[in-house]
Amino acid sequence: MSTYTKVPHAGSVVDCAVLIAAGTKQGNSKRPAIGCSAWLSEAEVNCRPFLKCLGAGGMQGVEIVTSDDHSGLRSPSERACRGVASQRRQVHM
């Protein structure tokens, strides 16, 4: 998921994209955050290293990816989780 928040940057206040990955373990309905990253946009160039870091941190067994339909998120998540089903977040439909 992603959200925007205001942050100080280069002497002014700008919108910052905060990317948050949540996951569950089989048989557990809790969704702990497994990763968080802040960037100035949701561009693919920013999302790609975030997803790569999740994989390097041991993320495995991904069964479905649910995200915004933002191309900066969609394209790298499709590459990082090849063959995994994806779903667009209902709030954005």
Side-chain angles (χ1 to χ4, degrees), residues 3-31:
T3 188
Y4 276 83
T5 188
K6 303 267 186 205
V7 296
H9 177 73
S12 62
V13 176
V14 298
D15 285 331
C16 177
V18 180
L19 305 173
I20 304 163
T24 62
K25 290 186 177 182
Q26 191 171 11
N28 187 344
S29 61
K30 295 180 181 177
R31 295 185 321 160

Side-chain angles (χ1 to χ4, degrees), residues 26-55:
Q26 191 171 11
N28 187 344
S29 61
K30 295 180 181 177
R31 295 185 321 160
I34 58 174
C36 182
S37 183
W39 299 88
L40 294 178
S41 76
E42 291 177 295
E44 182 175 347
V45 69
N46 298 327
C47 296
R48 199 175 327 121
F50 174 61
L51 292 169
K52 190 180 240 184
C53 183
L54 290 174

Side-chain angles (χ1 to χ4, degrees), residues 28-87:
N28 187 344
S29 61
K30 295 180 181 177
R31 295 185 321 160
I34 58 174
C36 182
S37 183
W39 299 88
L40 294 178
S41 76
E42 291 177 295
E44 182 175 347
V45 69
N46 298 327
C47 296
R48 199 175 327 121
F50 174 61
L51 292 169
K52 190 180 240 184
C53 183
L54 290 174
M59 180 181 71
Q60 59 186 7
V62 177
E63 295 180 10
I64 188 167
V65 174
T66 304
S67 69
D68 297 348
D69 196 33
H70 191 285
S71 62
L73 292 169
R74 187 178 58 245
S75 180
S77 66
E78 286 172 353
R79 273 190 237 123
C81 302
R82 290 183 200 267
V84 173
S86 64
Q87 176 180 319

